[in-house]
Amino acid sequence: MLRLVKARLLQLVVVLFILSLVTFSLMKLAPGDPVLRLLRADEVHVTQADEAALREELGLNRPIYVQYLEWMSNLLRLDFGDSLIKGKPVLDEMADRLPATVQLTMGGLAVMLLLAVPLGMLAAKFPGGLPDQLGRIFALIGASMPLFWVGLIMIYIFAFKLQWFPTMGHGGWREFVLPSVSLGFGLAAVHARLLRSGMLDSLSQEYIRAGRARGISEWRIFFRHALRAALIPVLTVFGMTFGSLVAGSVVIETLFSWPGLGSMAVEAIFQRDYPLVQGYLMLCGAFIIIINLVVDLIYGIHDPRIRLHKGGTA
């Protein structure tokens, strides 16, 4: 297990280095000039002297590799720089927005579990029956609809027609419902069918039939043994698709005016606030890799055979 942690931490360093190169390069290749944006050249007359002075103040007149090395040097000290538009440190700006994004992500994860686990287990318990047919329809709809379309339908039905929930805002539980359901709906469809498939495969194994022959209750076989084995592929896909929650939060936060990191990143892109965009991408990359590390550790706790197969030590 310790060997696995070391390997994942090394992977974290390598991936973040590559991500920093890609992020920095894309920001430099992106259309628009942050200097002209700051000077509001489209609204007032700007002289070349004003432009050159601000470019020198921001360090944008130096060679690209010098700018990258300086940015990386600051990044290693957890200094993400300052926002070009707001003037606040990027880390402080992200810290202000992070709680709202974590709240929305946890809400989407809760909706996914509340929908996927019962539907997947009922479909496995009654294969070919009504729960299984309803699960198939749910999976088809959930996997086919884009995230923004789910959000728009939620707004139209529950906010515009029924007027049960507001369309935007952040504070009470009523503002929290529609964004969370919209974020977790599509992922729930995928994980419900995956859990069903894993449960059916587990229930067909020899040790399940042996347990039934020994008189073990069907309840214990279903929840204690079959469900535990079926969770391994679910955990695998969850670790791979956790980035969908992060990426989906950008769409949902923009759609519902949710004051999180995703809406902050969209605003920063339109305002050419490159330090803020770079900080957001680096934070998301590190977060996704850490989640994958946690999932790998859960593997070892959940099934010792995986820990032994990876050659780790407890």
Side-chain angles (χ1 to χ4, degrees), residues 19-236:
L19 182 62
S20 70
L21 284 174
V22 174
T23 301
F24 190 84
S25 302
L26 288 177
M27 291 301 99
K28 293 303 178 182
L29 294 174
D33 191 337
V35 172
L36 298 180
R37 175 75 183 186
L38 287 171
L39 293 173
R40 290 194 277 185
D42 55 341
E43 300 178 11
V44 297
H45 177 68
V46 177
T47 64
Q48 291 185 350
D50 294 333
E51 181 182 344
L54 182 57
R55 200 175 297 278
E56 182 177 0
E57 179 184 348
L58 297 176
L60 299 177
N61 60 335
R62 287 173 289 181
I64 298 296
Y65 71 91
V66 175
Q67 297 181 42
Y68 173 75
L69 291 177
E70 182 179 358
W71 178 64
M72 277 299 297
S73 176
N74 294 332
L75 202 63
L76 292 175
R77 300 194 299 268
L78 296 180
D79 180 8
F80 289 80
D82 296 333
S83 168
L84 297 180
I85 303 299
K86 299 182 179 181
K88 291 176 57 178
V90 170
L91 204 57
D92 292 347
E93 184 69 19
M94 292 193 298
D96 293 340
R97 300 288 195 112
L98 182 60
T101 295
V102 172
Q103 182 185 9
L104 179 59
T105 304
M106 293 297 103
L109 182 60
V111 169
M112 183 194 77
L113 293 176
L114 289 174
L115 291 176
V117 174
L119 288 175
M121 294 179 65
L122 286 173
K125 183 65 175 177
F126 306 100
L130 180 60
D132 194 14
Q133 298 301 324
L134 293 177
R136 290 175 185 271
I137 296 174
F138 173 71
L140 179 63
I141 295 175
S144 302
M145 295 175 63
L147 192 60
F148 73 91
W149 187 245
V150 175
L152 290 175
I153 291 178
M154 294 290 177
I155 292 174
Y156 179 75
I157 296 176
F158 297 103
F160 180 68
K161 285 294 185 181
L162 300 177
Q163 297 184 355
W164 288 355
F165 304 102
T167 59
M168 61 182 64
H170 173 250
W173 67 271
R174 296 179 72 248
E175 292 87 356
F176 180 63
V177 173
L178 289 185
S180 299
V181 173
S182 301
L183 184 60
F185 183 82
L187 291 177
V190 175
H191 286 80
R193 299 310 292 175
L194 186 64
L195 181 59
R196 172 195 178 274
S197 177
M199 290 288 294
L200 290 177
D201 182 66
S202 299
L203 291 171
S204 65
Q205 298 298 318
E206 291 289 342
Y207 70 90
I208 296 294
R209 289 195 287 269
R212 286 172 175 159
R214 291 171 55 192
I216 299 177
S217 66
E218 194 68 25
W219 178 271
R220 184 176 181 183
I221 288 176
F222 194 81
F223 287 96
R224 179 74 180 274
H225 301 288
L227 179 60
R228 182 175 182 178
L231 286 178
I232 295 177
V234 175
L235 287 172
T236 303

